[in-house]
């Protein structure tokens, strides 16, 4: 559910940004529209300019001159605008511009002047300006301006316009937020179970979401996925149980005939009735039988570790004496001194405490030593050490034998799981002992790493978390 609040915050941010963008674009559009409209109160300023430019010459005739360097006659003609001067004494037109429409009267009364000063004259929108001899009237094209005849407004509305604007904006904002929160709450109720279901799927728990609402198809897909995962999990568990039972059964069934083979082989090896060659063959049978027994034990242990059937008896232990004892045991067995072991440990490291199963840890180190012996039948020197660094206990087993190529090392690091490799049995000749070491390391919350040794041989490192008091 952590993603839902994040999603809501993101939507809310998008909403606020959208509101600001809408306001900005509206004000920009309003500016563009009003900027293109004709300024100066709809031609009133133009009427003042015409009034100032209309003068009498020496002969008493009116001449429309210039104003601020502008030829007012040309401006009237360009704008298809006409102008008249109504005499203040007799209310007759004493001057007019060129192209005066024929329907424009040349005689006026008080009522007509009152109307045209605030409205229209023959449907022409008009503006007026005072002149020393009367009244200047400008008439514009009929589609130029829209004049409000009864343009009287309540004073309080105009005075409180900024407050009213903020009131409208606030009401609209709260309305938008209310709609947003309502929709978001409903969306949250719908998406919440879906998100919870998706997050629960990897845990293997049963998931069921009500298949209603806008996202019913997603809920159906999640329910089908959950059912399919549970079915696959049941099948896999059944297969794993069958495999574990098969391995345990085969191991049990082989023990009895194998014990008989080992017993008879031992008797033949010690029998005085056989010659030297027959004694050697009996010894080979005895050795291979022991090897087969060890392989069966390894396979059984690997199966139990894989399916968590091997109980861990962990206790707080010092790793150093456990590894040292394992090293001593192998040194005592190496009568021919074919595989001497160099025990390397820093004198300052007095202990390395960890929660460990002593027997399994001994088994892991023993497997690494045996692995070095098997792959170096001509003999080699083993270097074994324990290092504490960064709250990790590291057990290093290295030899100076034939080593391993880069291709072999890469293959070893990426070898498919021994127990699950069903298609390539050729790749299962090696690695069971190393796989058990990896399983033991993982059971202790650690890892197993492989690399080239500094002495030219093979290096294996078991890393397990150290106990912090």
């Amino acid at each position: 559910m952590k993603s839902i609040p994040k999603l809501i915050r993101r939507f809310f941010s998008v909403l606020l940004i959208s509101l600001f963008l809408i306001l900005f674009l509206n004000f920009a559009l309003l500016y563009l529209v009003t900027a293109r409209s004709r300024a100066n109160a709809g031609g009133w300023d133009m009427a003042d300019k015409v009034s100032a430019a209309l003068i009498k010459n020496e002969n008493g005739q009116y001449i429309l001159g210039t104003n601020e360097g502008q030829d007012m006659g040309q401006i009237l003609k360009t704008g298809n605008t006409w102008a008249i001067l109504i005499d203040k004494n007799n209310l007759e037109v004493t001057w007019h511009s060129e192209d005066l429409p024929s329907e424009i009267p040349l005689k006026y009364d008080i009522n007509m002047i009152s109307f045209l000063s605030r409205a229209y004259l023959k449907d022409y929108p008009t503006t007026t300006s005072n002149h020393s001899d009367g009244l200047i009237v400008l008439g514009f094209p009929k589609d130029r301006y829209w004049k409000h005849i009864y343009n009287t407004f309540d004073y309080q509305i105009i005075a409180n316009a900024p407050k009213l604007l903020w009131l409208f904006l606030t009401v609209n904002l709260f309305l938008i937020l209310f709609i947003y929160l309502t929709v978001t709450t409903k969306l949250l109720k719908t998406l919440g179970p879906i998100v919870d279901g998706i997050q629960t799927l990897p845990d293997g728990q049963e998931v069921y979401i009500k298949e209603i609402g806008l996202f019913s198809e997603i809920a159906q897909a999640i329910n089908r996925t959950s059912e399919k995962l549970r079915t696959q999990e049941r099948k896999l568990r059944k297969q794993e149980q069958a495999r574990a039972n098969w391995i345990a059964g085969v191991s049990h069934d082989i023990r009895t005939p194998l014990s008989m083979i080992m017993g008879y082989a031992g008797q033949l090896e010690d029998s005085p009735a056989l010659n030297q060659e027959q004694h050697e063959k009996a010894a080979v049978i005895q050795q291979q039988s022991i090897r087969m027994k060890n392989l069966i034990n390894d396979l059984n242990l690997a199966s139990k570790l894989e399916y968590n059937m091997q109980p861990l008896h962990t206790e707080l232990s010092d790793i150093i004496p456990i590894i040292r004892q394992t090293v001593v045991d192998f040194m005592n067995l190496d009568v021919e001194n074919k595989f001497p072991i160099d025990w390397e440990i820093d004198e300052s490291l007095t202990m390395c405490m960890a929660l460990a199963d002593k027997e399994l840890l001994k088994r892991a180190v023993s497997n690494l030593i045996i692995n070095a012996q098997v792959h170096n039948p001509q003999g080699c020197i083993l270097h074994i050490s324990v290092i504490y660094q960064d709250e990790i206990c590291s057990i290093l087993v290295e030899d100076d034998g034939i080593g391993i190529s880069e291709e072999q090392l890469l293959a070893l690091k990426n070898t498919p799981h021994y127990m699950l490799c069903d298609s390539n049995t050729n790749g299962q000749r090696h690695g069971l002992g190393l796989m058990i070491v990896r399983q033991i390391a993982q059971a202790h919350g650690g890892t197993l790493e492989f690399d080239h040794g500094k002495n030219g041989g093979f290096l294996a490192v078991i890393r397990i978390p150290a106990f912090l008091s």
Side-chain angles (χ1 to χ4, degrees):
M1 287 295 291
K2 292 181 180 179
S3 58
I4 294 297
K6 183 178 180 181
L7 184 64
I8 293 177
R9 289 195 298 269
R10 180 170 297 179
F11 281 154
F12 187 73
S13 301
V14 172
L15 174 65
L16 291 180
I17 294 174
S18 300
L19 289 176
F20 282 117
L21 285 176
I22 289 173
L23 289 175
F24 174 78
L25 290 176
N26 276 276
F27 281 119
L29 184 61
L30 179 63
Y31 171 78
L32 292 175
V33 171
T34 55
R36 294 184 60 185
S37 65
R38 296 187 178 272
N40 301 320
W44 296 99
D45 183 66
M46 187 175 178
D48 292 337
K49 290 182 178 180
V50 170
S51 177
L54 186 63
I55 58 177
K56 282 185 178 181
N57 60 13
E58 297 177 351
N59 299 327
Q61 295 177 342
Y62 289 101
I63 299 175
L64 184 60
T66 61
N67 187 290
E68 297 180 356
Q70 296 178 329
D71 187 349
M72 299 309 300
Q74 184 63 34
I75 291 177
L76 291 177
K77 187 174 182 180
T78 302
N80 197 20
T81 304
W82 52 264
I84 60 175
L85 173 62
I86 301 176
D87 188 85
K88 61 183 178 181
N89 296 319
N90 55 21
L91 302 183
E92 293 182 356
V93 174
T94 57
W95 171 87
H96 63 80
S97 62
E98 298 179 4
D99 300 326
L100 179 69
S102 58
E103 67 266 31
I104 300 301
L106 301 178
K107 177 71 177 179
Y108 294 87
D109 56 27
I110 296 299
N111 292 332
M112 295 174 64
I113 293 176
S114 174
F115 185 79
L116 68 85
S117 64
R118 62 186 178 90
Y120 297 84
L121 178 61
K122 300 298 181 179
D123 293 332
Y124 291 94
T126 57
T127 59
T128 60
S129 180
N130 291 327
H131 190 271
S132 59
D133 294 336
L135 181 68
I136 290 290
V137 179
L138 261 64
F140 299 90
K142 296 179 181 181
D143 58 354
R144 174 74 59 81
Y145 296 113
W146 187 323
K147 296 185 69 176
H148 296 281
I149 301 176
Y150 305 103
N151 54 349
T152 301
F153 301 96
D154 186 277
Y155 178 81
Q156 294 300 324
I157 292 179
I158 302 300
N160 296 324
K163 296 180 180 179
L164 292 175
L165 177 61
W166 281 112
L167 176 62
F168 278 102
L169 288 176
T170 304
V171 171
N172 279 273
L173 179 61
F174 275 104
L175 177 61
I176 293 174
L177 288 177
F178 173 76
I179 296 173
Y180 170 78
L181 292 176
T182 302
V183 174
T184 302
T185 302
K186 186 175 181 180
L187 184 64
L188 179 61
K189 290 181 179 179
T190 306
L191 283 179
I194 293 178
V195 174
D196 289 338
I198 295 174
Q199 293 176 342
T200 305
L201 281 177
D203 299 334
Q205 302 179 17
E206 183 177 357
V207 175
Y208 178 76
I209 304 172
K210 292 184 178 179
E211 300 173 357
I212 57 175
L214 182 62
F215 302 99
S216 59
E217 293 183 358
I218 298 178
Q220 292 174 4
I222 293 175
N223 291 337
R224 290 196 302 269
T225 303
S226 176
E227 180 61 29
K228 187 174 182 179
L229 288 176
R230 289 200 306 272
T231 302
Q232 291 178 346
E233 183 181 359
R234 288 193 293 267
K235 290 181 179 179
L236 182 60
R237 191 183 298 115
K238 186 176 180 181
Q239 291 174 356
E240 291 176 348
Q241 187 63 43
R243 183 183 290 113
N245 292 338
W246 180 83
I247 292 174
V250 170
S251 301
H252 179 270
D253 293 341
I254 290 178
R255 280 195 181 97
T256 299
L258 188 59
S259 298
M260 296 177 63
I261 293 172
M262 292 175 62
Y264 288 134
Q267 293 177 12
L268 291 173
E269 185 180 4
D270 298 333
S271 174
L274 300 180
N275 57 36
Q276 182 63 30
E277 182 181 357
Q278 292 171 334
H279 283 171
E280 292 176 356
K281 291 181 178 179
V284 171
I285 295 174
Q286 176 77 355
Q287 293 172 358
Q288 295 302 318
S289 299
I290 294 174
R291 184 180 179 187
M292 187 181 297
K293 180 181 179 182
N294 292 334
L295 285 173
I296 292 172
N297 291 335
D298 285 348
L299 185 60
N300 226 357
L301 178 59
S303 176
K304 290 180 179 180
L305 289 172
E306 173 66 22
Y307 303 121
N308 298 319
M309 293 186 295
Q310 173 67 28
L312 288 180
H313 303 287
T314 58
E315 58 180 343
L316 184 59
S317 307
D318 186 2
I319 299 299
I320 297 176
I322 297 174
I323 308 304
R324 184 189 294 117
Q325 183 60 50
T326 306
V327 170
V328 171
D329 292 342
F330 272 90
M331 293 175 67
N332 293 334
L333 292 174
D334 186 20
V335 179
E336 299 178 359
N337 198 28
K338 193 175 181 180
F339 300 98
I341 299 178
D342 185 8
W343 172 250
E344 303 173 352
I345 188 168
D346 193 342
E347 294 181 357
S348 62
L349 184 61
T350 57
M351 63 176 60
C352 190
M353 305 301 293
L355 289 174
D357 186 316
K358 295 181 180 179
E359 296 303 321
L360 284 181
L361 203 56
K362 287 182 180 180
R363 180 63 178 274
V365 177
S366 298
N367 279 14
L368 293 178
I369 296 175
I370 294 173
N371 181 73
Q373 294 175 347
V374 169
H375 288 86
N376 297 282
Q378 76 285 358
C380 66
I381 299 175
L382 287 91
H383 303 271
I384 301 178
S385 60
V386 177
I387 298 176
Y388 173 80
Q389 186 178 9
D390 297 331
E391 302 176 1
I392 295 293
C393 288
S394 300
I395 305 168
L396 290 76
V397 178
E398 179 185 354
D399 62 67
D400 63 351
I402 61 175
I404 186 171
S405 66
E406 285 292 342
E407 293 77 9
Q408 291 173 329
L409 182 61
L410 183 62
L412 185 60
K413 290 180 178 180
N414 299 282
T415 296
H417 197 294
Y418 186 90
M419 301 299 294
L420 298 180
C421 184
D422 297 327
S423 60
N424 184 14
T425 56
N426 293 329
Q428 296 180 355
R429 297 193 303 270
H430 310 288
L432 179 57
L434 295 180
M435 190 196 73
I436 293 175
V437 178
R438 177 181 282 114
Q439 289 175 326
I440 293 175
Q442 291 174 347
H444 285 79
T447 59
L448 174 64
E449 301 173 6
F450 304 117
D451 205 344
H452 299 287
K454 60 183 179 180
N455 296 305
F458 180 70
L459 170 65
V461 183
I462 301 174
R463 303 186 191 276
I464 61 176
F467 179 80
L468 300 179
S469 57

